[in-house]
């Protein structure tokens, strides 16, 4: 929040006609932008073992890693001495819960806790006991996300962790606001390398959700089709009357929620939208490249300007 205040003060209080201190603007911008994405997370201490065989579910070693799928997979490969072919086909599971770890996730702390045992399998079913709720076939949407209707037009969704949220919503945000991919459906593999794969919040709209549904239904390749997580979110939206705006955020990410609610105001409150558009018109020439560098399509610049600065 402090970085955003500095950025706001620098831009809005700059004397008319004064030269732009580009290095300072870039520093404030990067700091403010980072405050809207995943912060650095504490390292995890986890045990590693095998999913099947005579030593199934037994710790073989303990490691301390950064909480990312790539770091965990690297530790498994090194400590358990996997061959390249084994590493390429490996699946990792949390032994206590049966949850499969997303190896492409930037943050796995939502499913892997400090002290957990993580086991590696090579295509065989998970060998441990499934939690009672999962075995009973309970609705995982209620566990991963909590919906709240603020009005007929606005829904808030609080997510248990960023991994689950971005798995469901990353491609929708890319469709909405990415400067090169707006209006296009990227594959799941492409999405893993894009900024919205590590957001702490998403602002989505009825038009975007309907467009995604149509594009995903028409996708010819399985890698572009809607995933179970995406379909579950779309079903939850439809069940709640298809509100015009859906704001999602990770539980505890209060500054991000405040940022995302500015987008809801822009979409739903004409007086606010008019004030933001007028302010953006005064600063557009100065800040257009700044917005593009942040990774936003031109159609999103005024709204994002308001969310960051007003």
């Amino acid at each position: 929040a402090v970085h955003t205040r500095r950025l706001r003060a620098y831009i809005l209080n700059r004397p008319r006609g004064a030269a732009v201190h580009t290095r300072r603007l870039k520093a404030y911008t990067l700091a403010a932008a980072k405050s809207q994405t995943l912060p650095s997370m504490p390292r995890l201490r986890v045990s590693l073992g095998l999913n099947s065989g005579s030593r199934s579910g037994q710790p073989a070693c303990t490691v301390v890693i950064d909480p990312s799928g790539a770091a965990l997979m690297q530790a498994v490969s090194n400590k358990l001495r996997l061959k390249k072919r084994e590493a390429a086909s490996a699946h990792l599971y949390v032994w206590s819960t049966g949850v499969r770890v997303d190896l492409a996730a930037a943050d796995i702390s939502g499913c892997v806790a400090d002290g957990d045992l993580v086991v590696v399998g090579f295509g065989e079913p998970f060998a441990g006991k499934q939690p009672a709720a999962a075995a009973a076939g309970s609705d995982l949407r209620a566990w991963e996300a909590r919906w709240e209707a603020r009005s007929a037009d606005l829904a808030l969704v609080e997510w248990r962790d960023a991994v689950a949220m971005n798995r469901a919503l990353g491609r929708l945000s890319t469709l909405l606001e990415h400067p090169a991919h707006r209006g296009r459906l990227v594959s799941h593999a492409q999405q893993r390398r894009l900024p919205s794969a590590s957001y702490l919040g998403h602002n989505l709209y009825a038009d975007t959700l309907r467009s995604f549904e149509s594009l995903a239904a028409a996708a010819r390749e399985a890698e572009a089709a809607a995933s179970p997580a995406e379909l579950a979110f779309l079903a939850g939206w439809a069940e709640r009357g298809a509100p015009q705006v859906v704001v999602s955020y990770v539980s505890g990410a209060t500054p991000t929620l405040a940022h995302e609610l500015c987008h809801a105001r822009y979409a739903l409150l004409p007086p606010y939208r008019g004030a933001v558009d007028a302010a953006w018109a005064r600063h557009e020439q100065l800040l257009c490249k700044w917005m593009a560098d942040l990774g936003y399509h031109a159609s999103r610049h005024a709204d994002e300007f308001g969310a960051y600065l007003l």
Side-chain angles (χ1 to χ4, degrees):
V2 65
H3 303 300
T4 302
R5 289 197 299 271
R6 287 174 178 170
L7 179 60
R8 181 190 301 119
Y10 176 70
I11 292 173
L12 299 183
N13 296 333
R14 185 180 63 90
R16 185 179 297 275
V20 179
H21 194 307
T22 55
R23 184 174 299 176
R24 184 180 301 171
L25 176 62
K26 182 177 180 181
Y28 288 166
T29 298
L30 290 176
K34 286 179 181 178
S35 72
Q36 301 299 328
T37 55
L38 289 175
S40 59
M41 300 293 289
R43 305 189 84 195
L44 294 174
R45 182 182 181 87
V46 296
S47 297
L48 306 178
L50 298 175
N51 178 53
S52 60
S54 59
R55 295 186 59 80
S56 172
Q58 298 181 34
C61 62
T62 300
V63 295
V64 178
I65 59 166
D66 291 328
S68 71
L72 178 59
M73 187 64 233
Q74 186 64 51
V76 169
S77 296
N78 292 342
K79 293 296 185 178
L80 301 185
R81 299 182 180 180
L82 301 187
K83 298 178 181 178
K84 288 186 178 180
R85 183 179 299 178
E86 291 175 323
S89 63
H91 298 161
L92 303 185
Y93 301 94
V94 179
W95 187 254
S96 62
T97 64
V99 171
R100 180 174 168 180
V101 181
D102 183 355
L103 299 181
D107 175 19
I108 60 172
S109 59
C111 63
V112 181
D114 204 50
D116 272 342
L117 168 62
V118 175
V119 297
V120 58
F122 305 99
E124 76 278 8
F126 175 61
K129 293 183 179 180
Q130 295 283 359
S138 62
D139 185 355
L140 291 183
R141 284 176 293 167
W143 176 59
E144 289 187 339
R146 182 167 57 220
W147 289 73
E148 176 190 351
R150 285 290 181 92
S151 71
D153 293 322
L154 173 62
L156 302 187
V157 189
E158 179 183 15
W159 292 80
R160 180 198 60 183
D161 62 77
V163 175
M165 180 184 71
N166 292 321
R167 186 184 298 121
L169 306 183
R171 291 205 302 162
L172 283 86
S173 278
T174 295
L175 179 71
L176 170 69
E177 64 188 21
H178 192 279
H181 300 300
R182 176 177 164 81
R184 296 177 53 237
L185 187 65
V186 300
S187 69
H188 294 283
Q190 286 176 295
Q191 175 59 33
R192 295 185 190 107
R193 300 188 294 272
L194 296 177
S196 55
S198 59
Y199 281 2
L200 281 180
H202 296 263
N203 53 290
L204 296 168
Y205 309 92
D207 288 347
T208 309
L209 299 178
R210 293 190 182 102
S211 177
F212 180 87
E213 283 184 307
S214 298
L215 291 170
R220 296 182 178 181
E221 299 180 2
E223 183 58 23
S227 69
E230 291 165 340
L231 290 173
F233 180 80
L234 291 169
W237 170 67
E239 289 168 4
R240 290 163 176 83
Q244 290 299 307
V245 181
V246 182
V247 164
S248 287
Y249 66 103
V250 175
S251 181
T254 304
T256 297
L257 174 59
H259 174 94
E260 302 301 343
L261 284 174
C262 287
H263 294 308
R265 294 187 189 99
Y266 186 89
L268 299 175
L269 301 177
Y272 174 85
R273 183 166 61 249
V276 170
D277 287 346
W280 173 246
R282 294 194 298 271
H283 298 283
E284 181 175 5
Q285 186 174 359
L286 169 66
L287 300 178
C288 187
K289 184 179 184 302
W290 168 68
M291 276 292 173
D293 289 345
L294 283 180
Y296 295 115
H297 189 270
S299 64
R300 303 294 306 150
H301 285 184
D303 189 2
E304 290 294 341
F305 170 80
Y308 273 113
L309 302 173
L310 298 183

